[in-house]
Amino acid sequence: LAQAILAQCTVGSTHWGLALSGPLPGARPCLHARRGRPAPMCDRFSDVVIGFVEAVQSAEDEEEGAESKQKKSKVDTTMEVSSHVLCLASPVFRAMLTSAEWEEGRSRRVAVPPSVGTRRGFAEFYAFLVPGSSCEKCVTDDNVDDVLALTDYYQVAALKNRCEQFLARTRPCSIPLLQQADKYGLAALRANCIEHLAADPDTDWTAFRDNPGMLWEITQGLRMAYRALHEVSKDRLRERDSWGRWQDPGSDADSERLGRQGAWDERW
């Protein structure tokens, strides 16, 4: 065992990082070492390739018009990352990369579905996981949507909570925001949106006609809004009654005016 460890440490300088840190089961030397060139210090742990399939529109397609936008060419792009960082942050990556039963664990390649994220979005997501850069990384309006989709898919709960708090603090309650909260399971943001939107009688709920679970929550929100409105109307009626007990109308015209006002309050 000692000879095997010594042999691995002395094969090349690029193996020192993985040998001393204790690689994950099935981990191979970094990509730079396999390509026959020395690896920078920051890339010595890049032992996993993340693959993306992105749609790219050429300049010729842009000149042809809107019809060609549906026929974009697909380009495969990759990104080299550390399995140690991914496995510490995400239980999904930990299951894929530490088990020989998964194809990702044997090939050390992970494909990100196009519906989940792009290379640019994953770079933002990965920056939040790296110990050094994560201290200075902030959730912004430019990266919150991409990061939220990836944190939900790969189950990074702490970063997902940061995205939810940012959305609740910076974006007004709306139907698109409620749909986003429902899609990614943001319970607190979803309840807050329903509470605010139910108080507006002009809110259009047709976007959730095929979502029975959301319709049930919306119904409960409408009930709470109706109860609050009913309490306000009861308070106003009590104020009118107490005002009419001690104020003398003084004339038939004033009495008729107060009667009309009371009837309007009751209808309202």
Side-chain angles (χ1 to χ4, degrees):
L1 178 61
Q3 292 178 354
I5 295 176
L6 182 61
Q8 184 174 358
C9 294
T10 56
V11 166
S13 60
T14 58
H15 290 254
W16 273 96
L18 289 175
L20 295 179
S21 64
L24 295 172
R28 297 187 295 174
C30 66
L31 299 176
H32 293 276
R34 295 202 301 270
R35 292 172 182 173
R37 63 175 184 266
M41 181 65 68
C42 59
D43 291 338
R44 292 187 180 181
F45 297 96
S46 300
D47 57 337
V48 174
V49 176
I50 306 296
F52 311 89
V53 178
E54 301 180 4
V56 178
Q57 185 176 1
S58 62
E60 297 178 356
D61 295 337
E62 295 179 356
E63 295 177 357
E64 292 179 1
E67 295 181 357
S68 64
K69 293 182 179 180
Q70 300 177 357
K71 301 179 180 179
K72 297 179 180 179
S73 58
K74 294 183 178 180
V75 178
D76 295 335
T77 58
T78 59
M79 178 180 176
E80 301 173 1
V81 297
S82 169
S83 62
H84 299 73
V85 173
L86 296 180
C87 292
L88 285 173
S90 168
V92 177
F93 279 118
R94 188 181 308 119
M96 289 191 299
L97 298 176
T98 59
S99 175
E101 298 178 359
W102 290 70
E103 177 62 26
E104 291 83 358
R106 297 190 298 267
S107 64
R108 315 303 290 174
R109 298 182 67 90
V110 178
V112 177
S115 59
V116 175
T118 61
R119 190 185 190 282
R120 175 181 175 277
F122 195 90
E124 292 286 336
F125 166 73
Y126 185 70
F128 281 99
L129 308 182
V130 177
S133 62
S134 60
C135 299
E136 302 177 356
K137 193 68 177 176
C138 297
V139 179
T140 64
D141 195 61
D142 294 332
N143 62 22
V144 62
D145 296 324
D146 295 333
V147 174
L148 178 60
L150 289 163
T151 54
D152 179 71
Y153 189 79
Y154 293 110
Q155 301 179 13
V156 185
L159 184 54
K160 184 177 179 179
N161 292 336
R162 290 181 59 182
C163 295
E164 181 179 10
Q165 294 172 4
F166 177 84
L167 291 174
R169 186 174 63 253
T170 60
R171 295 188 181 178
C173 295
S174 60
I175 293 296
L177 183 61
L178 178 57
Q179 290 177 313
Q180 188 177 25
D182 179 59
K183 178 180 180 180
Y184 297 118
L186 308 179
L189 182 61
R190 183 174 62 240
N192 185 52
C193 288
I194 291 176
E195 180 182 356
H196 283 78
L197 293 174
D200 185 3
D202 296 329
T203 302
D204 185 10
W205 302 101
T206 55
F208 302 99
R209 59 180 178 270
D210 297 329
N211 191 338
M214 276 299 301
L215 289 177
W216 171 254
E217 294 189 33
I218 292 170
T219 303
Q220 299 303 313
L222 292 173
R223 288 184 59 188
M224 297 299 295
Y226 172 77
R227 288 180 180 178
L229 182 62
H230 184 62
E231 292 296 330
V232 172
S233 62
K234 287 172 62 177
D235 293 340
R236 291 196 176 185
L237 288 176
R238 283 193 294 267
E239 291 177 1
R240 179 187 61 80
D241 293 341
S242 61
W243 178 265
R245 288 193 185 96
W246 63 270
Q247 185 179 26
D248 185 9
S251 64
D252 294 340
D254 293 338
S255 178
E256 182 180 357
R257 178 179 57 80
L258 291 175
R260 289 199 303 270
Q261 182 69 23
W264 184 87
D265 287 343
E266 292 176 359
R267 288 200 304 274
W268 183 84

